[in-house]
Amino acid sequence: MLLSLLRQMRKFLALLVSLILLFGADVSVRAQSLSHADLYPADSSAFPTISALLDVYDSNGIFASGLKAEAVTVLEDGLSIPATSLNEQAVPLQIVVAVNQGPSLDARDTTGLSRFQRVGQVLIGWAQTRPADPPDDFSLVSQAGQVIAHANAADFIVSLNSFQADFRTAAPNLQSLNIAIDTAAQQTPQPGMKRAVLFITPHMDDANIATDIQPYIQLAKDKGVRVFVWFVDTATFFTTTSAAAFNTLAMESGGKMFGYSGVERFPDPEEYFSALRRVFALTYKSSLISGGQHKLSVQVNLPGGTINSAEQIFSVDIQ
């Protein structure tokens, strides 16, 4: 009986922490730093100068803007080489808006507008501000599949304006989330682009939601897709297991969650995405004297400590 009680207490505490974080309390539950470095495939076409794109995130999972070349050491076949240059560049974003249809999204305010229509107004206003160059890659999906995929902002707006769904008869499920992650994880139009999903969902009457969502959390992490959740429902559902599960999805994938019942002020979506629009362009002078395949990684010194990227294999053709 004591063991059963302890298990119930652990589940309750996990739910409580997720709900506290959902409402923005200043509570830290991360047991480890979120700092990491991701090295993209290297380009050796200008040998002996080698170039590669690099993402560096600090202990809070924020892009380490302003990083200098002196902070980066290249490891070429295990040999330490200083970086020659490290330049921060802007890149567009590959973003998928996923709609989990359900009756709560069709609830109307005193003006006759539904919650989803309010969501749509915000997203259209944001998309209209996105520059044509460099262009973001937009997709819109629902439980039924892709509405539009890998489009520009103008075509995305047209699709969102014309999107029709029978919200009142729809049963919310995780199908649109699965489609969204797969769509976001597809090849980006240019190197260095990040991937994100904005998941618009009501609550789900699923007693196993906390367990059922775990594979999607892992899939998003494996594919490098950050999931941001807009939980659109009656405020009484903000403190349910369903809300906690979606908040966990957002937190563990590197995103955030916002609850909207019809009266809350929407966040600016660009507050989510602006930090995902940066990448470092790295160069160094190679010391290789033989062609073929070689190993490459980087070591980055941050204020919170040193981090290492995963090892990459690259080829060099030395005449």
Side-chain angles (χ1 to χ4, degrees):
M1 181 179 293
L2 179 59
L3 182 59
S4 176
L5 180 61
L6 288 173
R7 287 174 177 168
Q8 292 179 4
M9 288 179 65
R10 282 197 296 267
K11 290 181 179 179
F12 172 76
L13 288 173
L15 173 61
L16 180 61
V17 167
S18 290
L19 294 176
I20 288 173
L21 288 171
L22 171 60
F23 289 101
D26 185 17
V27 178
S28 176
V29 298
R30 295 189 175 101
Q32 59 184 7
S33 170
L34 295 178
S35 59
H36 64 281
D38 298 321
L39 184 65
Y40 292 78
D43 178 5
S44 62
S45 60
F47 185 86
T49 296
I50 306 292
S51 60
L53 296 178
L54 173 68
D55 287 330
V56 181
Y57 296 92
D58 64 18
S59 58
N60 294 313
I62 305 297
F63 187 81
S65 185
L67 197 67
K68 303 300 182 183
E70 295 76 24
V72 178
T73 299
V74 176
L75 300 176
E76 186 182 66
D77 287 346
L79 178 65
S80 296
I81 302 174
T84 303
S85 67
L86 188 73
N87 298 312
E88 192 171 334
Q89 299 179 350
V91 288
L93 179 68
Q94 186 150 287
I95 171 72
V96 181
V97 174
V99 184
N100 188 15
Q101 302 169 50
S104 294
L105 271 64
D106 199 44
R108 309 271 166 164
D109 60 20
T110 55
T111 68
L113 289 176
S114 70
R115 288 177 180 145
F116 181 74
Q117 287 174 316
R118 292 294 188 189
V119 169
Q121 288 177 340
V122 174
L123 294 180
I124 289 171
W126 162 69
Q128 288 173 335
T129 67
R130 299 311 310 146
D133 187 27
D136 284 339
D137 181 285
F138 288 93
S139 298
L140 175 65
V141 306
S142 71
Q143 287 103 311
Q146 293 179 340
V147 179
I148 190 171
H150 306 297
N152 58 34
D155 290 341
F156 169 78
I157 291 171
V158 170
S159 293
L160 190 56
N161 266 323
S162 60
F163 178 67
Q164 299 291 330
D166 189 357
F167 290 108
R168 292 194 175 275
T169 62
N173 57 58
L174 297 176
Q175 178 64 16
S176 60
L177 177 61
N178 183 59
I179 296 171
I181 295 174
D182 283 343
T183 301
Q186 291 173 8
Q187 181 67 44
T188 57
Q190 70 180 70
M193 289 178 66
K194 313 303 186 295
R195 300 170 169 90
V197 167
L198 178 58
F199 185 49
I200 301 162
T201 181
H203 80 281
M204 286 177 52
D205 294 320
D206 179 359
N208 299 314
I209 184 64
T211 300
D212 292 346
I213 208 165
Q214 287 301 317
Y216 300 97
I217 293 174
Q218 191 59 51
L219 179 63
K221 292 165 70 175
D222 291 343
K223 299 293 187 179
V225 177
R226 299 198 185 205
V227 182
F228 299 85
V229 178
W230 280 6
F231 189 80
V232 181
D233 215 315
T234 305
T236 54
F237 288 107
F238 288 2
T239 55
T240 59
T241 302
S242 179
F246 289 128
N247 190 47
T248 300
L249 165 68
M251 284 196 307
E252 293 196 12
S253 68
K256 294 182 179 180
M257 177 164 160
F258 162 71
Y260 179 70
S261 67
V263 297
E264 294 79 8
R265 183 181 179 86
F266 283 99
D268 179 358
E270 194 56 26
E271 293 179 3
Y272 298 155
F273 304 135
S274 60
L276 303 179
R277 300 184 185 279
R278 313 300 295 174
V279 70
F280 290 112
L282 164 74
T283 66
Y284 76 96
K285 187 172 181 180
S286 175
S287 64
L288 295 174
I289 59 173
S290 63
Q293 291 191 329
H294 299 273
K295 298 177 181 179
L296 183 69
S297 64
V298 297
Q299 187 177 76
V300 184
N301 292 317
L302 295 176
T306 301
I307 57 175
N308 293 276
S309 74
E311 200 170 67
Q312 297 274 357
I313 302 296
F314 73 108
S315 297
V316 172
D317 183 13
I318 300 177
Q319 301 298 330

